[in-house]
Amino acid sequence: MDGVKSRSPSCLQAPFKSWSPSEATGTHRRFGCNPTSPPRWCQPRPAALRSSLQAETAAGCQPRDAAPQGPRELQQQRPAARGRYQVIEGIMSPVNDAYGKKGLVSARHRIAMAKLALETSDWIRVDPWETEQESWTETVKVLRHHYNESVRLLQSKKEFVKNKQPTERSTGNFISSQCSVTPELKLLCGADFLHTFQTPNLWKKEHIQEILEQFGLVCISRAGSDPAQYINESELLTKFQHNIFLVKEWIQNEISSTQIRHALCRGLSVKYLIPDSVIAYIAYHNIYTEESERKNEGDLLQPLKLHNTAM
């Protein structure tokens, strides 16, 4: 079953895809881009990246808290640098409150902080759909939702261009070319995310296969994690390694949301690590405290609870 929620999302366009992390870490991401030539590595899903000369949407992680600044812009550049995609947008999909992770604050706060953190971004948006569901939603279902929404939007753009008057069509050439290819969605995650696929009962095998085969992953390097080793140790990851894109950031940023929360609990400054607007929001609502960090303490993650119930 799903069990990891990670960082943030983005989108591409060749065979349109989007991406996002799974259920275990507590955050979500997506990417989107457009390829200049038919891509080999994209399959669409709600929260990943994919696309071929069109716009695509991607989601990569389900954010548990506001993520550090910086890496998202690098994540946007990498797929486009391959010359196969054009990043259309990134989707950040915060995980549902029912996920049950220790220290997980209310979704309304996480959404508000994510929106503040992304105020200056011209390609990443926060999508509240996952938090609005009555219960926790498995990652693969979140991907399906975002992919279907991307295809629906693409169809509406096609209809718009088709119905334009002849004199107006020249202005719609760009939109028309973008709508000619099916977008792709890929799940954006940290390298440690791959290792969660091996956690017993956290993921359903069929869900892992669908994510890898139909959507694909864009995996960002993290200190202490060896994604190549994780892939070699897994028969399923090895089988679909052609759809797992490993990205090594040329500027290493090992700041984590966990470290930031711990600093806030101890009353330490996190200025320059997260936007000032987010720091002000946290202070006003008194969010990250020793008490909030004990929330859900001792509880099983929802995917593990569901597994135990099914036995």
Side-chain angles (χ1 to χ4, degrees):
M1 309 190 74
D2 291 24
V4 179
K5 294 287 180 188
S6 168
R7 301 184 180 179
S8 59
S10 58
C11 302
L12 313 170
Q13 257 206 68
F16 185 109
K17 296 189 180 181
S18 81
W19 41 14
S20 82
S22 185
E23 333 287 351
T25 48
T27 41
H28 231 100
R29 301 189 183 191
R30 327 257 176 214
F31 256 128
C33 35
N34 268 342
T36 55
S37 62
R40 297 174 11 186
W41 51 295
C42 294
Q43 300 297 10
R45 265 322 175 79
L49 21 111
R50 302 184 185 189
S51 166
S52 80
L53 213 232
Q54 322 290 313
E56 171 185 82
T57 310
C61 307
Q62 306 203 8
R64 162 169 186 192
D65 329 278
Q69 307 180 65
R72 293 194 188 98
E73 301 313 310
L74 295 177
Q75 293 158 7
Q76 179 194 30
Q77 296 165 10
R78 294 297 182 174
R82 301 291 183 94
R84 294 176 178 174
Y85 298 85
Q86 176 185 344
V87 175
I88 300 308
E89 71 168 332
I91 305 170
M92 183 173 281
S93 175
V95 70
N96 191 284
D97 286 340
Y99 181 60
K101 187 171 183 179
K102 181 178 178 294
L104 186 65
V105 303
S106 168
R108 73 180 181 89
H109 288 314
R110 288 181 284 121
I111 289 173
M113 288 187 289
K115 286 183 176 180
L116 288 171
L118 297 173
E119 280 181 327
T120 59
S121 176
D122 61 358
W123 68 284
I124 306 175
R125 65 179 175 85
V126 181
D127 192 305
W129 180 84
E130 188 174 352
T131 66
E132 295 168 349
Q133 305 311 298
E134 292 185 0
S135 60
W136 167 76
T137 305
E138 292 159 312
T139 295
V140 72
K141 295 178 181 178
V142 177
L143 287 169
R144 292 171 190 161
H145 164 77
H146 286 293
Y147 177 70
N148 290 336
E149 283 298 297
S150 298
V151 171
R152 183 187 61 77
L153 180 60
L154 189 66
Q155 274 303 128
S156 66
K157 286 184 178 181
K158 286 181 179 180
E159 289 300 316
F160 172 76
V161 173
K162 180 180 178 181
N163 295 329
K164 286 176 70 71
Q165 296 298 321
T167 55
E168 301 177 294
R169 284 179 186 161
S170 60
T171 62
N173 286 343
F174 178 70
I175 295 178
S176 179
S177 64
Q178 281 200 328
C179 294
S180 62
V181 180
T182 302
E184 294 185 4
L185 179 69
K186 289 189 179 296
L187 177 62
L188 174 63
C189 62
D192 53 336
F193 174 81
L194 290 179
H195 200 228
T196 68
F197 286 150
Q198 300 180 29
T199 303
N201 308 323
L202 191 59
W203 294 85
K204 294 176 181 177
K205 183 177 180 180
E206 60 269 28
H207 285 183
I208 298 175
Q209 178 163 337
E210 184 175 348
I211 290 172
L212 294 172
E213 184 176 14
Q214 300 301 319
F215 299 108
L217 301 177
V218 174
C219 187
I220 310 298
S221 60
R222 295 195 71 174
S225 296
D226 186 349
Q229 179 181 341
Y230 301 152
I231 292 173
N232 291 334
E233 292 174 347
S234 167
E235 182 178 344
L236 200 53
L237 292 178
T238 299
K239 180 179 179 181
F240 294 104
Q241 61 182 319
H242 62 280
N243 213 18
I244 301 175
F245 303 92
L246 304 181
V247 178
K248 184 173 179 61
E249 293 184 333
W250 58 278
I251 295 179
Q252 293 297 307
N253 185 337
E254 300 305 336
I255 298 171
S256 72
S257 59
T258 300
Q259 293 173 331
I260 291 174
R261 291 197 311 277
H262 288 172
L264 289 167
C265 285
R266 296 195 296 271
L268 301 178
S269 172
V270 293
K271 191 173 179 64
Y272 308 120
L273 300 181
I274 58 177
D276 288 347
S277 57
V278 177
I279 294 175
Y281 184 95
I282 291 171
Y284 181 82
H285 294 279
N286 192 30
I287 297 176
Y288 294 111
T289 63
E290 291 185 4
E291 181 181 357
S292 71
E293 283 298 288
R294 290 195 295 270
K295 183 179 180 181
N296 298 323
E297 190 171 31
D299 289 351
L300 285 176
L301 295 177
Q302 188 62 17
L304 297 178
K305 285 183 182 179
L306 294 176
H307 173 79
N308 291 344
T309 302
M311 290 181 64

